[in-house]
Amino acid sequence: NAGVMQNPRHLVRRRGQEARLRCSPMKGHSHVYWYRQLPEEGLKFMVYLQKENIIDESGMPKERFSAEFPKEGPSILRIQQVVRGDSAAYFCASSPPDGETPLHFGNGTRLTVT
Amino acid sequence: AQSVTQLDSQVPVFEEAPVELRCNYSSSVSVYLFWYVQYPNQGLQLLLKYLSGSTLVESINGFEAEFNKSQTSFHLRKPSVHISDTAEYFCAVSEAGAGSYQLTFGKGTKLSVIP
């Protein structure tokens, strides 16, 4: 049973470019969460999605960031016009619908903005 | 809202020595508590969790943590560490009950095991 799959593992973008981060949840999991880990910080919640629905985006920056989880395919975290401050590790997690099972995390995408 | 404090950002310890990584939390509601471990360039792996029941929880690789409600703590301990335990450890809390997806993490403690 494959775990949470994220790609790419490493992503380098120049300032002003777009970054697209992908996440496939564990088999049987219908809930996806995105977290961001800034250097020397703990993980911070960004957004919670179910298929075709954004449930909670209270942790998402108001501009340039968006997330989707389409009916088919992986969840996408999209960052437009990246800036140096977006450099971080972005982790995706998934869970089944029971709401009490601990989150399972992927290995993350490390975004570097040059 | 919850918050988590991990007082020690780095803990060096000699191999086969005991270790305690401290975690304190604050919350106005009942919580679930977790320890996650992150090995270099990898994602977070769940180490152990407290949801309810016995306040002492154990992992398969010898770690244990005890939920102390009066002290609002969930310290992680291991009686004898190995080189392979070198990693960063994150304490996390969520509101107890259905839909407890918003984990609040501490800033992490880097455990370095010295041969």
Side-chain angles (χ1 to χ4, degrees):
Chain A
N1 186 15
V4 177
M5 304 300 292
Q6 288 188 250
N7 66 81
R9 290 294 305 275
H10 300 276
L11 182 61
V12 179
R13 286 287 178 266
R14 290 199 184 98
R15 278 180 298 171
Q17 291 184 320
E18 178 180 285
R20 281 182 169 242
L21 289 64
R22 296 175 187 79
C23 169
S24 296
M26 282 183 70
K27 187 176 180 180
H29 286 191
S30 56
H31 296 203
V32 165
Y33 316 82
W34 285 93
Y35 282 75
R36 177 166 64 174
Q37 184 181 28
L38 294 167
E40 307 301 322
E41 296 283 333
L43 280 74
K44 303 277 191 226
F45 168 79
M46 298 181 76
V47 62
Y48 162 34
L49 309 106
Q50 296 176 18
K51 287 283 186 181
E52 299 183 286
N53 278 310
I54 297 174
I55 307 302
D56 182 350
E57 56 181 349
S58 58
M60 287 277 271
K62 298 299 179 198
E63 298 178 350
R64 303 187 296 108
F65 284 72
S66 62
E68 62 176 10
F69 189 16
K71 188 176 180 181
E72 301 290 337
S75 175
I76 306 287
L77 179 67
R78 182 180 176 205
I79 311 172
Q80 295 178 293
Q81 300 176 319
V82 295
V83 300
R84 289 235 172 92
D86 297 333
S87 295
Y90 292 83
F91 290 95
C92 173
S94 71
S95 74
D98 65 9
E100 294 200 2
T101 302
L103 304 187
H104 293 257
F105 284 84
N107 285 348
T109 294
R110 280 154 182 82
L111 172 65
T112 302
V113 179
T114 61
Chain B
Q2 296 89 36
S3 66
V4 176
T5 302
Q6 291 181 248
L7 286 171
D8 306 304
S9 59
Q10 298 194 39
V11 173
V13 63
F14 286 104
E15 192 175 14
E16 297 184 6
V19 70
E20 179 179 78
L21 306 182
R22 294 179 292 170
C23 172
N24 289 89
Y25 70 92
S26 67
S27 176
S28 57
V29 299
S30 296
V31 295
Y32 295 154
L33 293 153
F34 308 85
W35 276 100
Y36 282 84
V37 58
Q38 185 179 27
Y39 297 103
N41 297 315
Q42 293 188 25
L44 277 73
Q45 301 174 29
L46 181 65
L47 189 60
L48 45 75
K49 63 183 185 285
Y50 169 79
L51 304 182
S52 64
S54 172
T55 57
L56 184 66
V57 291
E58 299 177 352
S59 71
I60 59 172
N61 57 354
F63 282 94
E64 65 177 31
E66 186 162 18
F67 170 49
N68 188 320
K69 189 174 182 180
S70 63
Q71 297 186 8
T72 60
S73 67
F74 191 55
H75 301 330
L76 181 70
R77 293 186 289 263
K78 188 170 185 180
S80 175
V81 294
H82 302 136
I83 295 290
S84 59
D85 294 325
T86 294
E88 190 158 16
Y89 293 80
F90 291 92
C91 182
V93 62
S94 71
E95 182 177 331
S100 301
Y101 55 86
Q102 274 211 37
L103 289 170
T104 300
F105 284 86
K107 292 187 176 182
T109 298
K110 291 181 180 175
L111 173 64
S112 300
V113 180
I114 305 163

